[in-house]
């Protein structure tokens, strides 16, 4: 694709793996954590995460949002993981997930992704996840939430 567009000023933008699911995911219990839909929690979660992860997940920019918060402490609830989706083309639920670095590798990202997938499917949408090809953690999270790989999407930018 880049070779084809090079003579026209094409620049490589990204290579993403496309994942889809067509079945309700298993949702394991996380009884000690609450689910919120407040965008303030999503923004607080983004401040806890590396910039590259925040840009890829686009959590606070999602139309529908679910954030796992730990409300067992004495202070304000603390966001630990979030997932949400934006509706594309009227049929796709483009899902993104973000987990705070201190809470990774515990299944929380997969849990909250499963909540978002179930909501999207209940709304009659097809859940999709677009993950940068070098993001192994996000690929594993998607797989644990029931997504299967369907191919690659490579994009180039052309000058106007």
């Amino acid at each position: 694709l880049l070779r084809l567009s090079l003579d026209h000023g094409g620049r490589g933008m990204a290579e993403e793996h496309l994942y889809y699911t067509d079945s309700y995911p298993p949702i394991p219990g996380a009884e000690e954590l609450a689910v919120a839909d407040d965008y303030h929690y999503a923004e607080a979660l983004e401040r806890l995460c590396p910039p590259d992860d925040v840009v890829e997940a686009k959590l606070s920019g999602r139309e529908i949002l679910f954030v796992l918060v730990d409300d067992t402490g004495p202070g304000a609830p603390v966001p630990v993981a979030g997932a949400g989706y934006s509706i594309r083309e009227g049929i796709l639920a483009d899902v993104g997930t973000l987990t705070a670095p201190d809470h990774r590798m515990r299944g929380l990202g997969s849990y909250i992704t499963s909540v978002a997938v179930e909501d999207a499917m209940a709304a009659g949408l097809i859940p999709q996840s677009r993950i940068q090809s070098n993001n192994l953690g996000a690929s594993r999270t998607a797989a644990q939430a029931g997504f299967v790989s369907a191919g690659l999407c490579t994009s180039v930018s052309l000058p106007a």
Side-chain angles (χ1 to χ4, degrees), residues 53-69:
D53 293 349
V54 172
V55 169
E56 184 173 350
K58 302 175 193 82
L59 190 61
S60 64
R62 302 290 176 170
E63 294 170 36
I64 309 297
L65 182 66
F66 304 92
V67 181
L68 271 180
V69 294

Side-chain angles (χ1 to χ4, degrees), residues 124-141:
L125 301 169
I126 301 168
Q128 110 176 330
S129 187
R130 300 165 64 103
I131 299 172
Q132 295 290 324
S133 60
N134 62 350
N135 194 337
L136 184 59
S139 295
R140 287 181 178 164
T141 297

Side-chain angles (χ1 to χ4, degrees), residues 83-99:
Y85 63 89
S86 297
I87 300 171
R88 297 179 68 153
E89 308 301 328
I91 190 72
L92 296 175
D94 189 40
V95 178
T97 304
L98 188 63
T99 304

Side-chain angles (χ1 to χ4, degrees), residues 1-94:
L1 188 59
L2 189 56
R3 260 186 282 135
L4 290 173
S5 65
L6 192 59
D7 291 340
H8 304 284
R11 288 187 4 218
M13 297 300 292
E15 180 179 86
E16 299 171 312
H17 287 269
L18 298 175
Y19 293 86
Y20 294 90
T21 185
D22 63 354
S23 60
Y24 282 98
I27 300 182
E31 293 82 21
E32 68 279 359
L33 299 174
V35 178
D37 62 358
D38 190 328
Y39 282 88
H40 295 343
Y41 289 125
E43 292 165 352
L45 177 59
E46 288 175 336
R47 287 190 293 276
L48 298 172
C49 296
D52 289 349
D53 293 349
V54 172
V55 169
E56 184 173 350
K58 302 175 193 82
L59 190 61
S60 64
R62 302 290 176 170
E63 294 170 36
I64 309 297
L65 182 66
F66 304 92
V67 181
L68 271 180
V69 294
D70 183 353
D71 60 356
T72 60
V78 177
V80 297
Y85 63 89
S86 297
I87 300 171
R88 297 179 68 153
E89 308 301 328
I91 190 72
L92 296 175
D94 189 40

